[in-house]
Amino acid sequence: MTTNLPELRSARLILRSSIREDVDVRLALGRHKEIVEAYGGTFDPELPFTREQAEAAIHFIEEQEYAWVIDAGRFIGHVRFHSMDRHDKRAALAIGIDDPAYLGRGYGTEAIRLALTYAFSTGLHRVSLRVLASNTRAIACYRKCGFLEEGRERESAFFNGRWEDDMIMGVLDREFVSPELPVSSSQLSEAITPPGDTYGRQEC
């Protein structure tokens, strides 16, 4: 169940909890080859996207402890933290833009920066992610948010008949500066009340 997270706003979008209408929007969006393959999946154009799958997608977001819907006037995807370790003050980031009309337009970058501003203000020290090394658009997005390449898992993903490397990226609290705020996230420890006591590949 999602922690009682605050609603976060930027110039073009809101990070919020899910609402009933999100299922209808997710159903209408369906599945897209570019997005499915960015996760390392195999796209089947003959495979229908059903209401049950749309409901399951929204339910998945609702069941995560630290997750927001990305709203740019309506549902376009979600961003979340998982694999949270409060002792080591670290977590993993996952983001998915489900509407291809919003890919490559900076919405993923905007959502990640909002989420990181919140995460580091709660006391996290490190956030990591993994992404297919061939997903150059997503990698460029993460670099804009302060993530650095930390290593590779060679030939760790097999899809479409070929092996792909996974890139491991990370950002530390002292390295991240939110464009929404004039100070580094490490200076925001009292700005937002902290929450109580398999990272996947990403699309942006």
Side-chain angles (χ1 to χ4, degrees):
M1 181 179 295
T2 300
T3 301
N4 186 23
L5 297 174
E7 187 175 274
L8 307 176
R9 293 175 177 264
S10 66
R12 298 184 297 173
L13 57 80
I14 302 170
L15 301 188
R16 57 164 175 82
S17 58
S18 64
I19 57 176
R20 184 184 308 173
E21 290 79 5
D22 292 337
V23 172
D24 292 330
V25 176
R26 182 65 191 90
L27 177 61
L29 290 174
R31 299 169 74 249
H32 300 272
K33 184 175 187 293
E34 182 179 17
I35 294 173
V36 171
E37 292 187 348
Y39 290 116
T42 300
F43 178 74
D44 182 353
E46 302 301 319
L47 188 66
F49 188 75
T50 66
R51 173 164 289 276
E52 289 73 21
Q53 289 173 310
E55 290 172 347
I58 300 304
H59 182 66
F60 173 81
I61 299 170
E62 294 170 343
E63 287 298 299
Q64 304 307 301
E65 192 171 4
Y66 304 99
W68 294 267
V69 164
I70 304 172
D71 184 328
R74 58 178 174 79
F75 173 97
I76 65 167
H78 82 281
V79 62
R80 62 189 170 93
F81 294 106
H82 59 101
S83 304
M84 184 76 70
D85 186 323
R86 282 294 177 185
H87 178 268
D88 291 334
K89 299 183 178 181
R90 59 184 169 87
L93 173 80
I95 184 171
I97 302 295
D98 296 310
D99 188 337
Y102 287 85
L103 292 174
R105 296 173 56 191
Y107 284 86
T109 300
E110 212 165 303
I112 291 170
R113 285 172 170 167
L114 274 179
L116 288 176
T117 297
Y118 172 78
F120 288 134
S121 75
T122 69
L124 283 187
H125 172 62
R126 168 185 168 80
V127 175
S128 63
L129 59 83
R130 72 191 292 145
V131 58
L132 287 174
S134 61
N135 193 346
T136 55
R137 180 179 58 213
I139 291 167
C141 164
Y142 302 136
R143 285 179 172 149
K144 288 178 185 177
C145 296
F147 285 88
L148 301 176
E149 180 179 352
E150 298 180 330
R152 289 191 180 218
E153 292 183 357
R154 296 177 302 148
E155 298 186 1
S156 55
F158 186 79
F159 74 104
N160 285 348
R162 67 182 187 275
W163 288 104
E164 290 273 0
D165 293 354
D166 271 326
M167 182 183 293
I168 309 302
M169 305 184 77
V171 60
L172 305 179
D173 54 355
R174 64 176 178 270
E175 297 169 339
F176 175 73
V177 177
S178 170
E180 309 298 324
L181 298 162
V183 294
S184 68
S185 60
S186 61
Q187 295 173 281
L188 297 174
S189 59
E190 297 180 359
I192 303 175
T193 303
D197 292 347
T198 88
Y199 52 69
R201 299 179 187 94
Q202 315 308 324
E203 173 60 307
C204 190

